[in-house]
Amino acid sequence: MGSEMCIRDSNEATPVSINNISFDASPPSFAITSPAIGDYINSPGLTFNLSENLKEGVITWLRTGGVADSSPPREINLSTIALTAGDHPDFLFPDMASLVSGAIYSVTISGVDMAGNEGTPVTIPNLSYDDNPPTFGVNYPASNQFMNSMEVEYILSESFGNASVTWSRVGGNNDPSSPHEISLTETEREEGEHPRGALARFPKLVDGSRYDIAFSGTDHAGNAADKVLLSNITYDFSPPVFVVTQ
């Protein structure tokens, strides 16, 4: 009886490897460090941080109050440089439609990382946009005036974040402490008329000196008012002396 031998081919497959594959199941995180909740701003610039590189990212400005804004919510896709991990200070979006002065906005950052994980959006609400400079109107004193008090009268177009009055000697008796810069108090920085009277803090001026007085300041969004300068004001605090001769 004959026997049959069965021979099978033993072909071995060539291994195939795929390198540099990163596994990422964690969502990215975002942070907006500036502006902060409730800030007054005069620019749409943001300072934000990304925990990792993003595949896609979006910044959204949404009006929530204040002056009307006819534009739809502004959605800005982050450019390549803005998708990288780390800090992005004072980042501006030049193609974004202008915000409306007097409107209130919220700003949101959202995005997806390179593995497709979606991060939790971060929103900063109640941002008051103001790019109009304030005005500082001074009714008293006037240039070239003689005065025996340090009273002032002025009007502010809006509340100021900071403001000051500075006396700089320009003639008369010497004043080694000049210039004298006095910061206005919160009440003195409020919007509206401030009747004639002395400031809460005032400098020690020299009797018989002449001063220029400068009023300056910025609003809460950082917009600067045009400086108001009063020139050549003489301070005379000494009463006249009468001499009677016989």
Side-chain angles (χ1 to χ4, degrees):
M1 202 174 154
S3 62
E4 294 182 358
M5 182 178 289
C6 181
I7 301 175
R8 294 183 180 179
D9 291 335
S10 177
N11 298 317
E12 184 175 348
T14 301
V16 177
S17 63
I18 302 175
N19 301 317
N20 298 321
I21 296 177
S22 298
F23 180 76
D24 179 7
S26 301
S29 61
F30 323 118
I32 297 176
T33 56
S34 178
I37 296 173
D39 275 357
Y40 286 78
I41 58 175
N42 60 9
S43 164
L46 296 178
T47 295
F48 61 93
N49 177 276
L50 306 178
S51 64
E52 58 180 295
N53 293 340
L54 298 185
K55 181 179 180 181
E56 300 173 356
V58 177
I59 299 290
T60 303
W61 287 89
L62 175 67
R63 176 197 169 270
T64 57
V67 174
D69 182 352
S70 59
S71 297
R74 295 154 178 79
E75 293 189 353
I76 305 99
N77 293 315
L78 296 182
S79 59
T80 302
I81 191 172
L83 293 171
T84 56
D87 292 325
H88 297 268
D90 298 323
F91 206 89
L92 287 168
F93 310 96
D95 296 330
M96 188 181 97
S98 298
L99 301 179
V100 175
S101 190
I104 300 172
Y105 295 89
S106 66
V107 63
T108 300
I109 184 170
S110 58
V112 177
D113 68 15
M114 305 302 289
N117 302 302
E118 185 174 353
T120 301
V122 171
T123 298
I124 305 297
N126 196 29
L127 300 174
S128 299
Y129 185 75
D130 177 9
D131 61 358
N132 292 325
T135 59
F136 207 143
V138 178
N139 298 326
Y140 184 87
S143 295
N144 302 311
Q145 189 170 348
F146 283 77
M147 299 184 62
N148 61 4
S149 73
M150 286 179 284
E151 293 181 329
V152 295
E153 180 181 340
Y154 59 95
I155 183 169
L156 303 179
S157 63
E158 59 180 287
S159 294
F160 277 49
N162 64 75
S164 64
V165 183
T166 303
W167 285 260
S168 300
R169 177 192 171 274
V170 293
N173 291 335
N174 187 37
D175 181 355
S177 299
S178 173
H180 307 268
E181 182 175 3
I182 302 299
S183 297
L184 301 189
T185 65
E186 183 176 357
T187 299
E188 292 167 342
R189 300 194 309 268
E190 291 177 353
E191 176 183 357
E193 296 182 3
H194 294 262
R196 180 172 167 177
L199 298 175
R201 298 185 287 267
F202 52 85
K204 187 176 181 180
L205 303 181
V206 173
D207 188 20
S209 289
R210 298 197 310 275
Y211 296 88
D212 286 350
I213 307 177
F215 295 76
S216 60
T218 60
D219 63 18
H220 289 286
N223 302 300
D226 288 337
K227 182 181 293 186
V228 177
L229 183 63
L230 309 177
S231 302
N232 198 40
I233 297 174
T234 302
Y235 283 89
D236 181 1
F237 306 113
S238 300
V241 176
F242 297 96
V243 177
V244 178
T245 61
Q246 193 168 7

